Amino acid sequence: MSVTIWVPADSGAKAVGADRVARRIAEVAVARGLDVTVRRNGSRGMMWLEPLVEVETAEGRIGYGPVKPADVEGLFDAGLPAGGAHALCIGRPEGHPFLARQSRLTFERCGIIDPVDLDGYRAHGGLSGLERAVAMPAAEIVREVTESGLRGRGGAGFPTGIKWKTVLDAEGPQKYIVCNADEGDSGTFADRMIMEGDPFVLIEGMAIAGLATGATKGYVYLRSEYPDAARVMNRAIDAARAAGVIGRSVLGSGHAFDMEIRIGAGAYVCGEETSLLNSMEGKRAVVRAKPPLPALKGFLGRPTVVNNVISLASVPVIMAKGAAHYRDFGMGRSRGTIPIQIAGNVRHGGLFETAFGLTLGEIVEEIGGGTLTGRPVKAVQVGGPLGAYFPPSLFSTPFDYESFAAKDGLVGHAGVVVFDDTADMLEQARFAFEFCAVESCGKCTPCRIGAVRGTETIDRIARGIEPEKNRAVVADLCQTMKFGSLCALGGFTPYPVMSAMTHFAADFAPRPVREAAE
């Protein structure tokens, strides 16, 4: 009897030995004369269990993890091909508490299918959104996305439907869809997981965006640090084009839409849409002043939709199941689901897709399981290196755009990085300034100069040089950067700095004083 065993080819799983595990499974199966097919999937997002090996049985898939090459012989001895009992067995992955509690809409296929198998994508509901879209007028597609409440998942939270309508209504001989896949925030990996685990959902979402706005060409701007994602995306695009999903006639509709991958050099500022567009045009990656908006004059001066990977990958389920279905998830003005990426010093790191509204405490303590070290949580940074540090006293904050903004924080790309009580928050504030100084495009003075002066001033505080005066200087610098910078790199750097100073004031005492107190 033939048996299929799945081993993730996601780069996160590969980093902890998934390729070696896959080879070892194949070797042991051959040595034992077993008819075993090893297939590669994406990750389900339970990173602490990677590599997570799954075997298909009559009762469904049975998972084992984390598996090392040295474990493979023992797994076969325990009856791996039949889903036999073993210390590494977690049962059916979808029944695991980490997955069972999720509301998987965007990531419903991730970790289940072969990423480049278009037939497998179709068999699990793929392309139903695009099939509906090709039969609708462009304005109706835009209306559906608008009514769903989908907002930009890259961090800005701007309503996707409004951006699409602007491009639809804009005049221009050529329009473009640009997917911002320059995922550079610390502790984030949702974009990468989609591109490596379910690339067709992104292709489908971009094709729908093209139909909705009249754009006939799309680009995925992908950072060079993601070679696996680039390889998988290119294979998926080729497969979609060969099958007529994209190309001169999308699903035979007569509407053209084709796409390709563009690789960036890895500048953090290219996460900002106008800097990204300059990079795509072969120019220096500096921020453009607005107006004009990219929706009116974007790539090559033409009307352009610039959306994040998760924004575009969320569109197919909206079109397949309707705006009301998607809008039923979430709270307030934050509708739908959000893929929360839990990382840092945490026991159960991974991707958790859920409706907006869980509290930060639930995410860190219940879902994440607290710190890996077992020490108390001291701070949680949400929203990447430019996000605010929240202490446990703010753990009752609901995870949604408005609630975080009310606490001087930001959801951003929904990365959650956990720190235990050994973290030095003065050092974290210094890192924020230093990061901004290194990554600044140099276009505006508040960001270019302010970040350097901020690093120097934090160093003076650490040495005990006029600490009160220099804390006031830091606060003044942050005000200037927040309201004077051209883009979010300089404008959001004050969030981690000021939150660290506000919530962890003891860490900003001069080091000799702190050491004496200890």
Side-chain angles (χ1 to χ4, degrees), residues 366-431:
E366 295 180 22
I367 297 164
T371 65
L372 182 62
T373 57
R375 300 181 66 92
V377 175
K378 179 173 183 176
V380 178
Q381 187 177 34
V382 179
L386 308 181
Y389 291 100
F390 277 28
S393 61
L394 293 179
F395 275 13
S396 61
T397 306
F399 203 90
D400 78 279
Y401 294 110
E402 281 67 43
S403 296
F404 266 70
K407 303 290 186 182
D408 293 323
L410 55 103
V411 167
H413 194 38
V416 174
V417 181
V418 181
F419 298 82
D420 73 9
D421 62 351
T422 63
D424 186 329
M425 302 312 293
L426 180 143
E427 287 295 330
Q428 294 303 122
R430 186 189 190 281
F431 170 77

Side-chain angles (χ1 to χ4, degrees), residues 44-45 62 82 107 112 173 177 253 293 321 336 339 343 358 376 438:
R44 290 193 185 245
I62 303 297
F107 284 78
I112 295 174
I177 307 298
S253 65
L293 296 170
K321 297 184 178 181
L358 283 179
V438 171

Side-chain angles (χ1 to χ4, degrees), residues 445-458:
T445 302
C447 176
R448 183 183 69 248
I449 302 299
V452 176
R453 295 294 171 259
T455 305
E456 296 169 350
T457 308
I458 291 285

Side-chain angles (χ1 to χ4, degrees), residues 149-231:
L150 177 65
R151 294 166 66 178
R153 297 293 189 254
F158 188 82
T160 303
I162 293 177
K163 184 179 289 188
W164 286 19
K165 187 176 189 309
T166 304
V167 175
L168 172 63
D169 293 342
E171 296 291 333
Q174 174 70 57
K175 298 178 183 180
Y176 298 99
I177 307 298
V178 173
C179 174
N180 182 350
D182 193 65
E183 186 174 51
D185 283 354
S186 48
T188 59
F189 43 89
D191 293 358
R192 178 187 60 74
M193 275 184 58
I194 280 289
M195 291 186 288
E196 294 179 2
D198 191 12
F200 290 117
V201 77
L202 176 55
I203 295 169
E204 183 179 359
M206 291 184 68
I208 293 170
L211 295 174
T213 60
T216 57
K217 183 70 176 182
Y219 297 93
V220 178
Y221 184 90
L222 183 59
R223 60 194 299 112
S224 58
E225 291 91 338
Y226 280 0
D228 288 328
R231 175 181 52 79

Side-chain angles (χ1 to χ4, degrees), residues 87-108:
L88 297 177
C89 183
I90 66 164
R92 298 184 65 181
E94 57 269 26
H96 189 285
F98 190 84
L99 284 179
R101 190 173 174 180
Q102 297 188 40
S103 297
R104 287 216 160 183
L105 300 182
T106 307
F107 284 78
E108 62 180 323

Side-chain angles (χ1 to χ4, degrees), residues 343-364:
N345 187 343
V346 67
R347 188 175 302 277
H348 296 147
L351 183 133
F352 192 93
E353 184 180 359
T354 185
F356 287 96
L358 283 179
T359 67
L360 184 57
E362 288 177 298
I363 294 166
V364 174

